[in-house]
Amino acid sequence: MSQSLFEAGSSLIENAVGKMGDNLTSMVLVTTASILSLGYVSKLVFRQLQAPDKDEQKYPPYIQSSIPFLGHAVAFGKSPIEFLENAYEKYGPVFSFTMVGKTFTYLIGSDAASLLFNSKNEDLNAEDVYSRLTTPVFGKGVAYDVPNPIFLEQKKMLKTGLNIAQFKNHVRVIEEETKDYFTRWGDRGEKNLFEALSELIILTASRCLHGREIRAMLDEKVAQLYADLDGGFTHAAWLLPGWLPLPSFRRRDRAHREIKSIFYKVIQKRKESGAREDDMLQTLMDATYKDGRALTDDEIAGMLIGLLLAGQHTSSTTSAWLGFFLARDRALQERCYAEQKAVCGEDLPSLQYDQLKDLNLLDRCLKETLRLRPPIMTMMRMARGPQKVAGYTIPAGHQVCVSPTVNHRLHDSWVERLDFNPDRYLQDNPAAGEKFAYVPFGAGRHRCIGENFAYAQIKTIWSTMLRLYDFELVDGYFPTVNYTTMIHTPHNPIIRYKRREH
């Protein structure tokens, strides 16, 4: 009996956290703890999972589950978009459910989402949700490991280095890196597009955002360290205690130490030489807080890691999906190629930053890719006190969520919602003017500071790739969405390519 319970608990936990890349034996501690919780404190757990007393307050509709502790984790993990859309149809724009002992309240649609995007951090708190995920990767003293006023100062420092003057140079650098990277592809073949673009995004972002010295050290060993560090952004890292001896956690922690050691040496060398560069590293070395304190080397290193990895997954995922949409619609792809010649010249000279804004069709294709395949499915905050929305009161302790993916395809807001149609943005209000119907980078005070860099980076990469190759699907296969990762990547993203003859 006890063995059967152990096996059942192991299976449920493994499904709940997704394909983490760690073998089952590494989950024994988690499984055992879960079973003990279920066996000895089930009454407490069940009390926590019961729907709130509706006589006291009008709480959001609560989706009951017959599975204690895990709740809807398995169903949600298998098909989160379908789960949320079905819940929206049945319960309306606000509803709650439980996964792995936590209660989530989703806000669906523009009106409901306004609660999250207009909220103050002291009401709907970001650190309470994200710190356990980001702190082991970025390090202590930065991002969600500090009080929000300090984090806002750090974001302002980063924004100082993400300016148009820098972007003008970045375009040249990104084009150069892209051409160099794709020389290894040859004239024709089939390749994993997501894998290639993930590597390229790291190379271009490191050179643009970290500086020449750090980019020069980016060999295969350092690239693997980045990959191991990036492996910290998993369902396991979000749901499970960070002290567990999982292989992915150990790789993440080792990579964090080694990358920071590299950064410390670069920072120290630049300080000793007295040399100055026009890059993000110099921006952070010169920056001070409002009280006059300079950033420590550890803070600089942590912010550089955060700047790179916070955008790496999202940009590489978006870039890959854009490629498959263009490969599926060959006529649209040729229109984008023709636009390159029309804007930049028939002989396709090097791309200039000022030309990016005139690549209107490519821009619309990118926007439509972000609508149908936003890389982050859910944005979350922790309710520190009761929150009122749509006639309901969300209790303190709920994780309040908005799903860009669901908002971007609501039939109430979007015409032909599942079609890839870049020309919908030729209209003034493609989502009926709803303020939060399109939020791939967030909105309001929570909007992503890297949005402009992401657009410049992706448009430059794809401008260069369109000039190099003609792309098509392999035997008509268009990738499905991989829901086992926190960023919704394409599954089996193999693409066919052939060098263009200009």
Side-chain angles (χ1 to χ4, degrees), residues 453-471:
F453 176 77
Y455 266 94
Q457 183 185 36
I458 296 171
K459 288 178 74 172
T460 302
I461 286 174
W462 265 104
S463 292
T464 308
M465 290 176 68
L466 284 166
R467 297 176 182 197
L468 291 173
Y469 297 111
D470 170 76
F471 296 92

Side-chain angles (χ1 to χ4, degrees), residues 250-480:
R250 290 197 296 266
R251 290 193 298 268
R252 173 200 65 195
D253 295 342
R254 182 178 62 251
H256 176 83
R257 291 191 298 270
E258 293 188 26
I259 288 176
K260 274 199 168 176
S261 178
I262 292 171
F263 287 2
Y264 294 154
K265 292 174 183 176
V266 171
I267 294 168
Q268 193 60 36
K269 184 177 180 180
R270 187 176 288 191
K271 285 180 177 178
E272 291 173 353
S273 69
R276 296 184 60 83
E277 297 284 347
D278 187 16
D279 57 21
M280 183 63 75
L281 174 58
Q282 192 67 52
T283 297
L284 296 181
M285 289 174 65
D286 294 341
T288 59
Y289 289 104
K290 290 180 180 178
D291 62 7
R293 180 175 68 86
L295 292 169
T296 65
D297 290 358
D298 195 57
E299 288 173 320
I300 292 173
M303 290 170 69
L304 288 175
I305 290 173
L307 187 64
L308 180 74
L309 293 185
Q312 188 274 335
H313 245 154
T314 53
S315 292
S316 56
T317 301
T318 300
S319 298
W321 281 117
L322 173 58
F324 283 105
F325 282 122
L326 292 177
R328 187 173 66 179
D329 189 337
R330 302 294 298 284
L332 178 62
Q333 184 181 161
E334 289 309 304
R335 285 173 61 197
C336 287
Y337 177 61
E339 182 181 61
Q340 292 289 323
K341 291 188 172 183
V343 171
C344 305
E346 280 292 325
D347 57 345
L348 294 174
S350 294
L351 190 66
Q352 303 296 316
Y353 173 77
D354 291 338
Q355 294 170 333
L356 291 181
K357 68 180 186 303
D358 297 323
L359 296 172
N360 296 313
L361 178 57
L362 182 61
D363 189 77
R364 297 198 303 274
C365 289
L366 178 52
K367 284 181 178 177
E368 186 71 338
T369 300
L370 286 165
R371 183 183 73 85
L372 285 176
R373 296 291 188 275
I376 298 177
M377 193 208 74
T378 294
M379 300 170 181
M380 294 180 289
R381 300 290 185 271
M382 178 69 74
R384 285 192 166 179
Q387 305 294 318
K388 295 188 179 296
V389 62
Y392 298 111
T393 299
I394 301 173
H398 280 216
Q399 299 201 34
V400 181
C401 309
V402 168
S403 172
T405 311
V406 176
N407 274 17
H408 291 182
R409 46 193 270 173
L410 278 182
H411 53 71
D412 299 335
S413 304
W414 298 89
V415 176
E416 298 175 338
R417 65 192 183 99
L418 300 182
D419 293 347
F420 184 83
N421 177 20
D423 289 343
R424 73 172 74 241
Y425 301 98
L426 292 172
Q427 307 168 27
D428 291 335
N429 296 312
E434 296 178 27
K435 187 174 182 180
F436 302 117
Y438 183 80
V439 286
F441 291 96
R445 58 169 58 93
H446 303 295
R447 198 175 189 92
C448 174
I449 64 170
E451 178 179 358
N452 291 332
F453 176 77
Y455 266 94
Q457 183 185 36
I458 296 171
K459 288 178 74 172
T460 302
I461 286 174
W462 265 104
S463 292
T464 308
M465 290 176 68
L466 284 166
R467 297 176 182 197
L468 291 173
Y469 297 111
D470 170 76
F471 296 92
E472 64 179 11
L473 301 180
V474 177
D475 300 327
Y477 171 75
F478 189 86
T480 54

